């Protein structure tokens, strides 16, 4: 695991975007794993800026998102499909039929999970996977206790996660109770993982991740110790509980 320290959210976003842009430039048919949430928004803004200024093209890129809520139509403004449309897809030249999210409106959700794994396999696997981290250490919607052997599956969201996400909804009751998420196994199969963390509210999770060193299913992000190529990009606020000596160990 490699740690890149940045001053603030803006520098974290630029650093992450540079990695994505390099991937796409050196490998125009890259398969990129995308995440939603506040953390990657600045990264996506940087991708858009670069696309407009320097013309980095996504016409041959395929994207697969980590997760999607169950029970929200993809056109619902709170669906992750809408999130991606608003924050990235509308402003780059990625063809619509090359951007995938789990089909959470399928009549047969279990089958939709299998199809998503199959889609990732057919594409040849994910080259670069962007991740955020939950305050409880979740990655995607893999909550504490999730088996690291899981592929795409249905999860019941924890109260903490629903409360953390309620800010996007009118009221807590409107936050879906279930989602489809790629499993930890999918994440570990990607060729390179980029985990982004910014702000004081991620400090405990980041400190726990860097201290854990061992995979432990009670803390999902620790699965990344099973992966040979993980880059954590964290800003000063997210690293506030990690001392200099611990930082240097990465
Ligand atoms: P956030 O969510 O980027 O909105 O903090 C990250 C996550 O919960 O994985």
């Amino acid at each position: 695991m490699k740690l890149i320290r940045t001053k603030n959210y803006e520098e974290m976003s630029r650093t992450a975007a540079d990695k994505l842009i390099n991937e796409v430039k050196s490998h125009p048919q890259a398969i990129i794993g995308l995440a939603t949430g506040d953390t990657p928004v600045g990264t996506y803004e940087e991708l858009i800026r670069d696309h407009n200024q320097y013309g980095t093209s996504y016409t041959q890129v395929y994207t697969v998102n980590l997760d999607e809520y169950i029970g929200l139509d993809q056109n619902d403004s709170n669906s992750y499909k809408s999130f991606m449309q608003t924050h990235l897809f509308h402003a780059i030249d990625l063809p619509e039929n090359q951007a995938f999210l789990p089909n959470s409106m399928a009549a047969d959700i279990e089958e939709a999970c299998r199809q998503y794994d199959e889609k990732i396999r057919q594409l040849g696997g994910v080259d670069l996977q962007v991740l955020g981290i939950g305050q409880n250490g979740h990655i995607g919607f893999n909550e504490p206790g999730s088996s690291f052997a899981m592929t795409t599956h249905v999860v019941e969201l924890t109260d903490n996660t629903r409360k953390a996400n309620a800010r996007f909804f009118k009221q807590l009751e409107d936050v879906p109770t279930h989602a489809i998420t790629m499993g930890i196994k999918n994440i570990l199969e990607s060729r390179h993982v980029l985990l982004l963390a910014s702000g004081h509210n991620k400090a405990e999770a980041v400190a726990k991740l860097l201290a854990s060193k061992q995979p432990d299913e009670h803390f999902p992000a620790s699965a990344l110790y099973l992966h040979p190529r993980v880059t954590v990009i964290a800003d000063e606020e997210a690293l506030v509980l990690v001392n200099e000596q611990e930082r240097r160990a990465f």
Side-chain angles (χ1 to χ4, degrees), residues 9 34-45 48 65-69 72-91 99 101 130 165 167-169:
Y9 181 79
L34 296 174
T36 51
D38 285 336
T39 311
V41 167
T43 304
Y44 298 153
E45 284 169 1
I48 292 169
N65 262 78
L66 281 169
D67 41 24
E68 179 61 285
Y69 287 122
L72 295 186
D73 186 86
Q74 291 207 324
N75 296 321
D76 188 296
S77 61
N78 275 312
S79 77
Y80 284 166
K81 175 77 190 275
S82 295
F83 177 98
M84 292 310 303
Q85 200 58 37
T86 304
H87 292 285
L88 181 63
F89 294 161
H90 81 279
L101 288 91
V130 178
N165 290 1
R167 64 193 188 279
F168 299 112
F169 294 80

Side-chain angles (χ1 to χ4, degrees), residues 113-167:
C113 294
R114 274 192 294 279
Q115 282 175 5
Y116 205 60
D117 290 333
E118 180 56 20
K119 173 56 68 187
I120 296 168
R121 198 191 62 74
Q122 279 172 2
L123 292 172
V126 173
D127 293 305
L128 183 54
Q129 175 67 56
V130 178
L131 291 182
I133 182 170
Q135 291 176 33
N136 62 3
H138 76 199
I139 48 178
F141 274 135
N142 295 281
E143 301 286 11
S146 306
S147 160
F148 289 174
M150 298 277 256
T151 53
T152 304
H153 61 285
V154 174
V155 283
E156 181 170 2
L157 303 177
T158 60
D159 285 347
N160 275 348
T161 296
R162 290 185 67 237
K163 279 185 198 136
N165 290 1
R167 64 193 188 279

